[in-house]
Amino acid sequence: MASSWADLYRRDSQATPYQSPPWLTGWAHQLPPTSRLVVALCEGPARQVLAAVPLVCDHAGARPRTVALSAPMGEYVRAVGPAAEDPQVAEALARYLEGLASDGQHVDIAGLPADSALARHLTSTGPAVAGHWHTSVTDCAEISLPLAYEEMSRSTRRDHKRRQRAWDELAQRHKVTYRRTRDSDELLPAYAVLARLHARRWAGHTPPAGSPHAPGAPYWPAVLERCGANTAFIATLAVDDEIVAAQLCLTRHRRAYSVVPAIDPLHKDLAPGHALLRHLAQDLTTAGYEYLDLGRTVPGQHAYKDQYRPRWSNTVSAVSAPTACLEVPDELARPTAEPV
């Protein structure tokens, strides 16, 4: 992970920041004593690594459990490498996961983009796979930048204008400030504010299943410290120096990925999440970004995200069936698994 992952990541244009070296090593360094990191490698001629998947094998329970490294915080799980989308490479990696299930492990790989080669192999209906995986699908939303308000429906444009008018009137009486962290020194203090807002927003309530993982746990700052300003930023919106909305994002190339949003419930009548998102979209457009990924969408969020004309896609979760007993033909080469 420390020596060669950066090269695999650099050579894979489809990898997301959830596969970046600082994000993954940040979580790997905090694994409990019952877990170990296992990197499944698919090798070609001269032992050249074609693709790899970082996994965590946990032995805390009666049955070993294998999940993707950084789950459930990482929203997208992909094989990484120059040949990650090659059908034969994806088949080899899928066979390796099937072999783990055949050996009695509980395998749970969540967040596979449905259009990825690995997801297609794990969810295929061939005789070697059918019945051995339980799958579920989660909707994800991505908006193109700049926001094309003129292409939205009349009712949606009216809603955006109504909310913007409320903020324009507020700005006549109060100071309204949008900011985005620019360096690592700003990142951790902004994160502390986001964590407080998130805790206040859900105090006494349980977030919907599948919501972004609560940011209050102590391991988040350690991960963000590794990510730094090259991979992560936090956008905030304040009224009279009191932050009312915050959003943690990761970046790669010309895409930004929303990880954890938070709002102050005392100002929910102003729809601060919408206001921050409009500021953020404009800011990212000016900075040269072309897409803002809003990530996994839990029940109740579809209407909220639909107001920004997103492109909808899906991720797949594949969980091995308890009775899985997969026969992996000897003639099919498996990737190696190297414990770290």
Side-chain angles (χ1 to χ4, degrees):
M1 287 292 296
S3 61
S4 59
W5 195 264
D7 183 59
L8 289 176
Y9 183 65
R10 178 184 57 81
R11 296 169 65 194
D12 187 344
S13 61
Q14 296 189 62
T16 77
Y18 294 110
Q19 285 79 56
S20 67
W23 172 267
L24 290 174
T25 54
W27 295 110
H29 274 280
Q30 302 181 78
L31 292 176
T34 57
S35 296
R36 65 170 181 161
L37 172 65
V38 176
V39 180
L41 307 173
C42 187
E43 297 177 334
R47 300 202 66 180
Q48 177 190 11
V49 178
L50 302 175
V53 179
L55 305 168
V56 174
C57 182
D58 185 79
H59 294 270
R63 184 184 179 197
R65 182 172 183 264
T66 292
V67 299
L69 177 60
S70 87
M73 283 66 69
E75 295 204 354
Y76 296 112
V77 173
R78 305 192 75 108
V80 181
E85 290 303 306
D86 183 283
Q88 290 183 310
V89 170
E91 182 179 6
L93 292 169
R95 290 289 184 179
Y96 172 70
L97 295 172
E98 291 159 11
L100 294 180
S102 177
D103 291 340
Q105 290 202 32
H106 175 78
V107 183
D108 185 347
I109 308 298
L112 292 162
D115 61 355
S116 67
L118 182 55
R120 289 196 296 271
H121 276 283
L122 284 179
T123 58
S124 67
T125 57
V129 178
H132 294 294
W133 296 97
H134 298 307
T135 61
S136 58
V137 175
T138 299
D139 293 332
C140 298
E142 178 185 78
I143 57 179
S144 298
L145 301 175
L147 285 176
Y149 291 103
E150 68 281 358
E151 297 179 10
M152 298 177 182
S153 69
R154 181 177 299 177
S155 61
T156 300
R157 292 199 307 271
R158 186 166 56 246
D159 288 339
H160 281 300
K161 289 179 179 179
R162 174 179 52 79
R163 287 190 291 264
Q164 184 60 54
R165 188 162 52 248
W167 279 89
D168 291 341
E169 293 173 356
L170 183 70
Q172 295 175 10
R173 308 185 307 274
H174 301 272
K175 182 176 69 172
V176 176
T177 308
Y178 164 83
R179 290 193 63 194
R180 174 163 61 94
T181 58
R182 306 287 177 169
D183 56 47
S184 298
D185 291 339
E186 295 179 325
L187 188 58
L188 292 184
Y191 167 80
V193 173
L194 183 147
R196 288 197 299 270
L197 284 181
H198 193 278
R200 192 182 305 165
R201 167 65 178 87
W202 295 107
H205 302 82
T206 301
S211 294
H213 197 271
Y219 40 68
W220 274 97
V223 172
L224 293 179
E225 191 169 11
R226 285 180 173 270
C227 288
N230 290 331
T231 305
F233 70 80
I234 294 176
T236 58
L237 187 65
V239 177
D240 290 338
D241 298 324
E242 179 185 358
I243 294 177
V244 298
Q247 195 156 346
L248 165 63
C249 297
L250 303 179
T251 64
R252 191 186 190 207
H253 301 322
R254 297 184 183 279
R255 270 187 167 84
Y257 296 75
S258 175
V259 183
V260 180
I263 65 166
D264 186 342
L266 297 178
H267 293 81
K268 63 181 181 181
D269 57 315
L270 290 171
H274 277 292
L276 176 58
L277 187 54
R278 290 195 299 273
H279 279 285
L280 176 59
Q282 180 58 51
D283 181 21
L284 292 177
T285 299
T286 302
Y289 286 84
E290 296 177 353
Y291 301 95
L292 173 57
D293 190 298
L294 300 179
R296 67 169 67 107
T297 304
V298 301
Q301 290 184 338
H302 287 79
Y304 175 91
K305 296 181 180 181
D306 260 333
Q307 296 182 63
Y308 297 90
R309 297 189 73 251
R311 181 184 71 87
W312 289 100
S313 61
N314 303 114
T315 58
V316 175
S317 295
V319 181
S320 59
T323 57
C325 183
L326 302 179
E327 296 294 334
V328 181
D330 293 336
E331 64 271 14
L332 277 176
R334 290 189 189 179
T336 60
E338 296 190 357
V340 177

